[in-house]
Amino acid sequence: MEAWATSEQVWQGALIFARIGAVLLMLPGVGESYVPPRVRLSLALMISLVLWPVVAGGLPALPASLGSMVGWVIREVVVGLMIGALLRSFLTALSTAGEIVSLQTTLGFAQTANPMQAQPGTTISAFLMLLGTTLIFATNTHHLFIAGLVGSYELIAPARPLVTGDFTAMAVKTLGDSFMLGVQLSAPVLVFALIFNLASGLVGRVMPSFQIFFAAAPLSVILGLSVFALSLGVLGTVFIDRYRALAQVFAGGAGG
């Protein structure tokens, strides 16, 4: 092994790979179940080799005992999973928006396989999740992931104690913001549904003999989806701006 790399270099590479591999396991797009594990591992190895000259100086020295080595590796895996979980959890904003739109357009019963969540969900929710992942790569937001991997070694340095309280507070804040954003993204359809239901109820009271349900049900679907389609451009723009802001929290460490 000494002919190719010293034991210290192998140790540093293993630590970097542990964090990078854990992050890629959770990242949107790359960490999905339909991506072959060999592709994820190969990408993690390549990124680890690229980042090694940049972050090797801040890594701890090779421990003398096996227990210490295992402890450091587990710590880096936990840090990687924490970072990846934060970046993935913000995608729940699109899932929330899709569920609200489906309920307001009476399409909540239309279930389909959601490849982003590996479980059934509403059709609109699955569409928005795929749209969000596409926007991340189409707008080169995934480049911020690479910068965030470098910045994470300054924000959460391996030599410093792991502060789980800060991560918990940030995770709660991220989930709260994602839920609020989901409601905001579905606001046009919510406003339409409120006005439409009030108008339907008024017509039903004024004309009791008129079968309002048979007229309101198809109109609710057609008009609701029309409003959703018209607001789709703004929805995608607002989401990707907020997501880039979250990714820049980690990328800011690299810029600093």
Side-chain angles (χ1 to χ4, degrees):
M1 182 179 295
E2 294 293 336
W4 300 96
T6 63
S7 57
E8 188 71 25
Q9 291 173 334
V10 174
W11 165 246
Q12 292 175 350
L15 279 184
I16 298 173
F17 181 80
R19 179 179 294 199
I20 302 302
V23 172
L24 293 183
L25 187 65
M26 302 292 292
L27 278 184
V30 181
E32 309 304 333
S33 58
Y34 53 78
V35 178
R38 292 183 180 179
V39 174
R40 289 199 297 265
L41 292 175
S42 300
L43 183 60
L45 179 60
M46 182 182 66
I47 296 177
S48 300
L49 293 176
V50 172
L51 296 185
W52 176 73
V54 180
V55 302
L59 297 177
L62 178 64
S65 63
L66 178 60
S68 299
M69 294 174 61
V70 174
W72 278 111
V73 171
I74 293 177
R75 181 189 187 278
E76 290 301 293
V77 171
V78 170
V79 171
L81 292 176
M82 288 164 46
I83 297 173
L86 284 177
L87 294 174
R88 173 170 285 274
S89 63
F90 202 75
L91 285 179
T92 56
L94 296 176
S95 179
T96 302
E99 294 290 340
I100 294 175
V101 172
S102 298
L103 290 174
Q104 298 303 319
T105 56
T106 68
L107 294 176
F109 62 89
Q111 299 285 314
T112 186
N114 191 339
M116 309 301 295
Q117 294 183 333
Q119 61 183 1
T122 60
T123 303
I124 297 179
S125 177
F127 167 74
L128 287 180
M129 294 285 284
L130 290 173
L131 175 65
T133 304
T134 303
L135 287 175
I136 289 174
F137 289 93
T139 58
N140 291 329
T141 304
H142 61 287
H143 292 173
L144 293 176
F145 296 160
I146 308 299
L149 293 175
V150 180
S152 68
Y153 282 91
E154 297 184 15
L155 294 175
I156 312 176
R160 299 176 185 173
L162 182 59
V163 182
T164 56
D166 294 342
F167 167 75
T168 303
M170 189 174 183
V172 172
K173 182 178 182 301
T174 301
L175 286 175
D177 292 343
S178 65
F179 179 79
M180 182 179 296
L181 178 61
V183 176
Q184 293 171 350
L185 294 178
S186 61
V189 179
L190 278 174
V191 174
F192 157 76
L194 177 62
I195 297 175
F196 183 83
N197 290 331
L198 288 175
S200 300
L202 180 61
V203 172
R205 295 289 295 178
V206 174
M207 303 173 60
S209 61
F210 180 66
Q211 298 295 330
I212 186 63
F213 175 78
F214 293 99
L219 285 177
S220 175
V221 176
I222 295 173
L223 296 179
L225 291 180
S226 300
V227 173
F228 172 70
L230 291 174
S231 63
L232 198 57
V234 178
L235 184 151
T237 302
V238 172
F239 168 76
I240 202 63
D241 288 342
R242 295 286 297 274
Y243 196 84
R244 288 178 68 90
L246 175 65
Q248 285 174 350
V249 172
F250 298 99

